[in-house]
Amino acid sequence: MTTVQPVISTPDLGRLQAFYARLFNAVQVRRFPADGPPFFVGLMLGDSEVGLVSQPDTDLSTPPRILLSVDVEDVDALLDEVVAAGGRVLGPPNDMPWGQRVAHVHDPDGNLINLTQVI
């Protein structure tokens, strides 16, 4: 069996964890080390796990090369929360010919997230 887990490097683990918790109700399921400031946290977003790793020297000026695609119940309703949680909305949502409503946003570190909703 093969498992793939995306892991996001960040200079501010707490800020990014708060963003994903607020926007997607992400729940921390793993943490290393158990005591003291965390180096790694595993977050459950629905049935998927995303890791966040603390790397103070992460260069946020480098464009991200990975897109996280997150299926949500209501793309439009979530867009105001993106800004309130510290992210950025890149444009209005669009209805795609394959039956999804899609909006592109950045998390607080500038990582691209594709919000999708089945229509």
Side-chain angles (χ1 to χ4, degrees):
M1 180 170 103
T2 301
T3 301
V4 176
Q5 177 192 22
V7 177
I8 302 169
S9 174
T10 180
D12 190 336
L13 193 143
R15 177 188 67 190
L16 214 54
Q17 183 174 358
F19 175 84
Y20 286 95
R22 179 172 179 169
L23 207 61
F24 304 118
N25 297 315
V27 176
Q28 181 177 301
V29 293
R30 293 192 290 155
R31 180 185 196 280
F32 301 106
D35 296 320
F39 168 74
F40 172 87
V41 295
L43 305 176
M44 287 302 294
L45 285 75
D47 64 355
S48 301
E49 186 174 340
V50 173
L52 303 179
V53 66
S54 178
Q55 292 286 337
D57 61 347
T58 299
D59 183 359
L60 297 182
S61 68
T62 304
R65 296 181 44 227
I66 293 179
L67 162 72
L68 291 180
S69 188
V70 181
D71 191 32
V72 298
E73 288 188 31
D74 188 339
V75 166
D76 296 86
L78 202 54
L79 292 182
D80 287 339
E81 280 297 310
V82 169
V83 175
R88 187 165 59 101
V89 176
L90 302 179
N94 295 295
D95 292 337
M96 300 302 188
W98 53 83
Q100 286 184 318
R101 185 155 180 81
V102 177
H104 303 286
V105 302
H106 279 162
D107 72 13
D109 284 358
N111 297 303
L112 188 58
I113 302 171
N114 207 21
L115 301 177
T116 63
Q117 170 190 343
V118 175
I119 53 174

